[in-house]
Amino acid sequence: MNTPGLILVVCVAVLYSSGFYLLLQRSLMRVVFGILILGHAANLSLLLTDEAITLPPLLGGPSGEMSDPLPHAMALTAIVITFGVTTFLLALAYRVWLGDENDEVPDDVEDRRISRLTEPEDSS
Amino acid sequence: MLSVLAAHFVAAALAPFLVRWWGRNAFLALALVPAATTLWALLCAPGVVAGDPVGVNVAWAPEYRMSLAFRMDVLGLVMTLIAAGIGTLILVYCARYFSDDEPGLGRFAGVLTAFAGAMLGLVLADDLVQLFIFWELTTVFSYLLIGHNTERRESRRAAMTALTVTTLGGLTMLVGLIMLGEAAGTYLLSEIIAAPPRGAAVTVALVLILVGALSKSALLPFSLWLPAAMQAPTPVSGYLHAAAMVKAGVYLVARLTPAYGDTPAWQVLTVGVGVATMILAGWKALRQYDLKLLLAYGTVSQLGFLTALLGAGTRDAALAGIAMLCAHALFKAPLFLVVGIIDHSTGTRDLRELSGLRRSMPAVWWISVLAVASMAGLPPLFGFAAKESAFAAFEHGPAWQTLALVGMVVGTVFTVGYSLRFLWGAFLDKPEVPTTPVHAPGALFVAPAAVLAALSLLGGPFASALDPILAGYADTVPWGGAHPAHLALWHGFGTPLVLTAVCLAGGLLLFSRRGEVVWLGNRLALPDPNRIYRRVLAAVDTLAIQVTGITQRGSLPVYLGTTLVVLVVLSGVPILTGRLWEIEAPPVRLWDSPIQFVPAAVTVIAAVGVLFVRRRLFAVVLVGVTGYGAATLFMFQGAPDLALTQFLVETVSLVVFVLVLRRLPTRFTTPVLRGRRRINLLIGAATGTLVAVMAYFALAGRRAETISSGYPAAAEEAGGKNIISTILVDLRAWDTMGEISVLAVAAAGVASLMFVRRRARPVRGRMGVPVTPLPAISAVEPAGAPAEPNAVPWRPSGIAVAPRQLRIRPKWNPLWLPGAAALARERRSVIFEVTARGLFPVIVLLSVYLLLTGHTSIGGGFAGGIVAGLGLMVRYLAGGRYELYAAVHAQPGVLIGLGLVIAAGTALGGAVFGTEILDGGVFDLHIPVIGHLHVTTSLLFDFGVYLLVIGLILDILRSLGARIDEQLEREARDSAEAEEVTA
């Protein structure tokens, strides 16, 4: 077994950080971007399990070390699903924007109402 | 035993139908079930009394030491006879108490029968968890029965109170039961009692269990729910709140006393609380005007008495307790039934309005006399025998027992007092009250109460016959049995008889001074427990609101940030304290090859750049760059399939994002506060670093070989050369089935979000020229203008408008992209149209190629489908939405469905023709030009995937492309109309 190349690890770290930061935003569009980038980060970290510069997992090709096909298959599935999910989220974000001309996540109205209840009532 | 239990629940399920067919007489049929149970218990009785308990034990979840265990010993037998026997009589009584048109009678009958079953399960359960389940079932059924009059607010509130109080106790008890079960290492009651564990934890468990028992039996300080529960119909009060359910707590005390009766905490709680409840509730009963409430407080008082007797932990007290338990069931139930009869016959239960019933209802009067005499402990009734032995059991004990005896005597004085008050209030002539008009009750209505009263009468003379039976339970209490007492009607002259005389005299005195007693009682009243209960509830409410207000800020970023911070802290601490970096790992490597540096750097720069750009479009492009960078890294990682798919998907995503972004504002809205942004950056960076570190060490510390070493051989066997593709469509085709289902759902989601009202239906027709426009166009076009699509006027501002709908004439038209004719002139590009037209067949061919070669080389259904989708996308971008409709006539839903059907059909075909689901077959084809083609059933599966992906992209184009086009056009038209109107 081998350690993954540091450069890939750094790349994964930056992608994850960027994705999580975007996830913490109020703009839904940015949140969707965040999920997309998190998808890339996850796929790359799946591929960390194997060394780079290997032959593709095709039988009957030139002889040499072949890369591990399992993470590839996982990542391939993940890519397509990420695509489906981001498209759906995009449509959601768009609907939100269509609703109130603003694609930001507002605070939950009910929660605000409850937290207002705890404050001392106005005498007015 | 199990079938007896099951019969109750089956009968309960049938009850609504029976009531619909037979009306109230259905209760007579339902009564057969508890009657059969009673008979069964009587048949078992000789063996049980002889010391041979009946039991079943079905292993349920042996890993958790859970079993379906039932056991009937003497205590269980007595409780079964009470629950089932009185249940039978109550059901018979119901058949006359209710009228046929009582609302909700079917539900009531079902719930009452189910309650009888739950009660039976409760007293027979030999497993603590099972006991708890039946315990809570009785609580729930009691809630439904108390709240029978759903329209009445007091009824609902009383039901809620009972539920809240008893559930609170029940949950506390559950904790105690689990502690007890864990301490004992078994959840079987019989085993626990045979070898009871000891220790501080067990004492705590016992106290918790007692909280449950006391709340169920309505002892102080939980007694408020029982008087409130008198809102229930009288049969319910007579059954649940006198004979059966409230006895559950008493039963549990009786059940555990043989094991823990000598524990001080147990004695203090049962005897102390019991006697206090007996006195206070008895005192309160003395000033009630409602006959039912009088009985309710009397019941609370008697339950206190029973708990004190059964919890005292001596053999004689236990004997007196179980005798009193039987006596109480036999006198309190008929009294409740009598109240129901009086209520039914006169329309009131207020003793200030009743007079002269002694003469108008002689049978009911004599029943009541017997029952009341038993309650007051008059000879020769059963109550007398039981009370005598109770006094005797505490006669020679230590000081605390003498104190308890004094308390019991006081309580009994009150009992005699309210017994007389009941009899006087309900039946005797009152000079100031006119004789109450009565509508005479039928024989069947009175019979149940008569049976019970007769048993009360028989219980006295036959007390010595009952003695050996009840002693079967009392002898299990191992303390104080040196000179065992015996039940008998006549004990001779002694202290108990003197005490009984004192009680009678005191009771008579209280009755003769009843006016003063009521006055004094009202003066000395304790705070209303209902008010305290409501205050507690309000306080809990406020607390809940405050906690919710503090923790639930309603802000998504805050929630998510909290989650991430918790993740970082929880995983970071063990990483740091466990000194993860010290694990034995291969040396750190910078890269596999320096060439990785370029795409990695591009990806990193783009990913960081996304955080800071303000323009949406720019952000989309940067996100795309991260995707392409990742794809390039995949390429170097020896994953060409992955890289191909990533490139294609990224391209489609990019276009789709741009299609949506054209409607959104160009820039992101107001930036968040700088401090907040820094915190977010910090959280993001910390989480990202943590994940990367975990990934790194997970791999550096990896010891096992990859599990995929067998895949090449498996792929060869499956007849594929591309291992990944083989994995997807053959080896792990189930995963792919799941995946394409997700895609289908996502497509449906996108479409339903975009077409809220209905899906746009493009006009059907073969390739042809869209013609004509329509009345709607005249809103833009002055009347009389030639109705040519191309003639839509060029508008300098805003977006030009395409016709609202089109007819497509089925006619071959040699245009490059016929649908583009519907586009506004300024949006058309001849070069783009020509290129798109020329490119489209090539793209489709390429996609088919990728599909077919997927098994042997790079490619596959996903990649092929996306390529075909890209071809459609080019045509849409060049020719507008009508071109898209013209390019594919099928609805995307049809394509998606077809794809799913083909994939699923292939999978099932494997099951039909092969050995299992998704089993594959192989055959070879020789096709000219393409050459040798290796065909497997996986190819068919892949074809399904291919169709589905095309359908998905078509769906996205229609939803996020064409639909938004429509919206934009409609808006432009609306604004134009508005302009015209204002002009």
Side-chain angles (χ1 to χ4, degrees), chain B residues 551-574:
Chain B
T551 54
Q552 306 289 312
R553 306 308 302 185
S555 155
L556 212 52
V558 170
Y559 292 156
L560 204 55
T562 314
T563 312
L564 292 180
V565 167
V566 170
L567 170 74
V568 169
V569 171
L570 283 192
S571 337
V573 167

Side-chain angles (χ1 to χ4, degrees), chain B residues 52-190:
Chain B
D52 186 20
V54 184
V56 282
N57 190 338
V58 185
W60 182 8
E63 302 84 13
Y64 300 108
R65 289 182 299 206
M66 266 163 75
S67 52
L68 214 55
F70 295 96
R71 188 167 180 276
M72 186 163 75
D73 54 6
V74 174
L75 180 61
L77 174 70
V78 169
M79 289 301 294
T80 305
L81 285 175
I82 291 178
I86 294 185
T88 312
L89 295 172
I90 295 280
L91 282 171
V92 171
Y93 179 81
C94 279
R96 287 298 169 265
Y97 179 80
F98 291 108
S99 56
D100 282 332
D101 51 0
E102 170 85 15
L105 192 60
R107 185 193 61 212
F108 178 86
V111 174
L112 192 60
T113 315
F115 170 82
M119 194 62 212
L120 194 64
L122 170 64
V123 297
L124 292 178
D126 195 26
D127 178 279
L128 289 180
V129 176
Q130 205 178 311
L131 176 96
F132 172 78
I133 290 171
F134 284 114
W135 185 280
E136 290 297 281
L137 273 181
T138 60
T139 303
V140 172
F141 291 135
S142 147
Y143 165 75
L144 293 172
L145 291 171
I146 297 172
H148 172 63
N149 290 316
T150 42
E151 287 92 42
R152 296 219 345 257
R153 186 156 175 237
E154 307 84 53
S155 164
R156 293 197 306 268
R157 185 185 280 170
M160 203 61 215
T161 310
L163 186 71
T164 312
V165 174
T166 47
T167 311
L168 176 76
L171 288 178
T172 318
M173 185 182 81
L174 177 64
V175 176
L177 291 178
I178 290 174
M179 284 171 72
L180 183 62
E182 289 300 314
T186 172
Y187 279 87
L188 284 184
L189 260 172
S190 45

Side-chain angles (χ1 to χ4, degrees), chain B residues 466-553:
Chain B
L466 283 175
D467 178 65
I469 299 172
L470 298 181
Y473 162 71
D475 289 340
T476 59
V477 180
W479 304 282
H483 306 286
H486 294 284
L487 279 180
L489 184 61
W490 185 247
H491 282 277
F493 294 99
T495 321
L497 199 63
V498 175
L499 291 177
T500 300
V502 169
C503 292
L504 289 178
L508 279 171
L509 185 71
L510 281 177
F511 174 67
S512 61
R513 297 289 174 107
R514 53 187 177 272
E516 287 92 328
V517 167
V518 172
W519 178 82
L520 195 64
N522 286 334
R523 282 293 298 271
L524 298 180
L526 293 170
D528 182 12
N530 274 310
R531 194 187 295 165
I532 299 172
Y533 167 76
R534 278 201 293 275
R535 283 224 184 114
V536 170
L537 276 198
V540 170
D541 242 16
T542 316
L543 181 72
I545 286 176
Q546 279 170 349
V547 169
T548 313
I550 290 168
T551 54
Q552 306 289 312
R553 306 308 302 185

Side-chain angles (χ1 to χ4, degrees), chain A residues 1-9 11 13-18 20-27 29-30 32-33 36-37 40 43-44 47-59 66-70 72-73 75-77 79-81 83-84 87-88 90-92 94-95 97-98 103-108 111-112 114-115 117-118, chain B residues 545-546 549 553-555 557 559-561 586-587 589-590 592-593 596-597 607 611 613-614 616 619-620 623 626-627 634 636-640 642 645-646 650 652-653 656-657 660 663-665 668-669 677 680-681 684-685 687-688 691-692 699-700 702 705-706 708 711 720-724 727-728 739 743 746 749-750 753-754 756 862 956 967:
Chain A
M1 286 300 111
N2 220 333
T3 52
L6 263 194
I7 196 160
L8 277 190
V9 177
C11 194
V14 171
L15 281 177
Y16 270 119
S17 305
S18 169
F20 282 125
Y21 173 77
L22 289 173
L23 223 52
L24 288 170
Q25 302 299 304
R26 277 191 184 272
S27 160
M29 200 54 75
R30 279 192 164 157
V32 178
F33 291 158
L36 209 55
I37 290 185
H40 298 328
N43 291 336
L44 260 186
L47 286 223
L48 284 184
T49 53
D50 206 13
E51 268 184 62
I53 318 301
T54 42
L55 289 173
L58 290 172
L59 295 176
M66 215 170 10
S67 55
D68 186 350
L70 187 61
H72 295 189
L76 195 63
T77 313
I79 288 173
V80 181
I81 288 196
F83 172 63
T87 320
F88 178 67
L90 186 67
L92 260 181
Y94 175 72
R95 275 299 297 186
W97 180 84
L98 215 55
D103 72 332
E104 296 207 340
V105 204
D107 279 353
D108 191 84
D111 280 340
R112 300 307 291 192
I114 287 174
S115 64
L117 278 182
T118 62
Chain B
I545 286 176
Q546 279 170 349
R553 306 308 302 185
S555 155
Y559 292 156
L560 204 55
R589 295 174 310 132
L590 196 54
D592 293 311
S593 151
Q596 283 179 308
F597 183 74
L611 309 185
V613 293
R614 289 257 162 273
R616 288 174 198 264
V620 171
V623 171
T626 62
F634 293 157
F636 293 137
Q637 212 72 13
L642 213 49
T645 314
Q646 176 77 57
E650 207 52 51
V652 176
S653 300
V656 172
F657 270 90
V660 173
R663 277 213 73 181
L664 298 183
F668 289 113
T669 33
R677 247 179 78 169
N680 283 350
L681 270 176
T687 319
V691 176
L699 294 170
R702 180 170 160 181
E705 272 301 315
T706 169
S708 56
Y711 276 153
K721 286 207 172 68
N722 182 343
I723 301 178
I724 295 172
I727 291 176
L728 288 182
E739 180 190 357
L743 289 186
V750 170
L753 279 170
M754 295 307 296
V756 196
F862 282 120
I956 292 171
Q967 289 173 349

Side-chain angles (χ1 to χ4, degrees), chain B residues 21-39:
Chain B
W21 293 332
W22 300 332
R24 62 181 187 175
N25 287 334
F27 281 104
L28 296 175
L30 290 173
L32 290 175
V33 178
T37 310
T38 316
L39 202 62

Side-chain angles (χ1 to χ4, degrees), chain B residues 212-227:
Chain B
L214 299 185
S215 70
K216 192 77 163 182
S217 286
L219 264 61
L220 286 175
F222 305 109
S223 42
L224 80 140
W225 72 263
L226 187 54

